[in-house]
């Protein structure tokens, strides 16, 4: 069973940057598709970005395209989310997720979830 732990959240001013990290353990990291989701207060959890096991396939939500970058480093069993040009509407709890199933990844149905890290963007 895979465990994922997020870090790197915090408080930042609008226009600033943050880099989130997600450390995975307990499985073969290189075989898992990874993704970031976020949930703002009173809203549903939404897909932000996803990356396939080989990093050959990457997808972003329209709301973050051109501002966020997802990447992975297999040697460190870690996936990153570089967030630039942050906006107050990016404020949310950000979750890392993993699945070994490509069909599940395509449906944004991930099996393993972290506890989340808070990102707050002030105006």
């Amino acid at each position: 069973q895979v465990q994922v732990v997020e870090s790197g959240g915090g408080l930042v001013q609008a226009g600033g940057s943050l880099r989130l990290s997600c450390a995975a353990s307990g499985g073969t990291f290189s075989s898992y598709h990874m993704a970031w989701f976020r949930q703002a207060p009173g809203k549903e959890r939404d897909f932000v970005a996803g990356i396939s096991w080989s990093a050959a396939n990457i997808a972003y939500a329209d709301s973050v395209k051109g501002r966020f970058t997802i990447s992975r480093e297999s040697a460190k069993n870690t996936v990153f989310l570089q967030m630039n040009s942050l906006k107050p509407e990016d404020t949310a709890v950000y979750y890392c997720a993993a699945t070994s199933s490509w069909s599940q990844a395509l449906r944004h149905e991930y099996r393993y979830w972290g506890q989340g890290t808070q990102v707050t963007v002030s105006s």
Side-chain angles (χ1 to χ4, degrees):
Q1 182 163 339
V2 175
Q3 294 85 42
V4 293
V5 178
E6 306 93 339
S7 61
L11 174 64
V12 63
Q13 289 188 333
S17 299
L18 279 176
R19 189 193 196 200
L20 304 183
S21 299
C22 171
S25 62
T28 305
F29 177 74
S30 60
S31 66
Y32 281 82
H33 314 293
M34 306 295 293
W36 289 95
F37 290 74
R38 66 186 181 186
Q39 187 169 21
K43 296 187 177 180
E44 294 185 351
R45 186 161 58 187
D46 292 328
F47 172 82
V48 175
I51 186 168
S52 63
W53 69 271
S54 65
N57 295 282
I58 291 176
Y60 296 98
D62 288 343
S63 59
V64 306
K65 280 182 181 177
R67 301 188 298 122
F68 291 10
T69 302
I70 189 171
S71 62
R72 63 190 298 157
E73 188 170 342
S74 293
K76 296 184 178 180
N77 286 359
T78 301
V79 63
F80 302 98
L81 185 67
Q82 178 67 44
M83 305 185 295
N84 299 328
S85 302
L86 282 162
K87 305 175 182 180
E89 50 265 42
D90 294 318
T91 295
V93 177
Y94 283 71
Y95 297 91
C96 178
T99 180
S100 60
S101 167
W102 181 238
S103 61
Q104 288 182 346
L106 290 176
R107 296 193 300 269
H108 297 170
E109 295 174 356
Y110 285 76
R111 182 173 182 182
Y112 304 104
W113 294 84
Q115 294 299 307
T117 185
Q118 176 70 46
V119 172
T120 303
V121 184
S122 62
S123 57

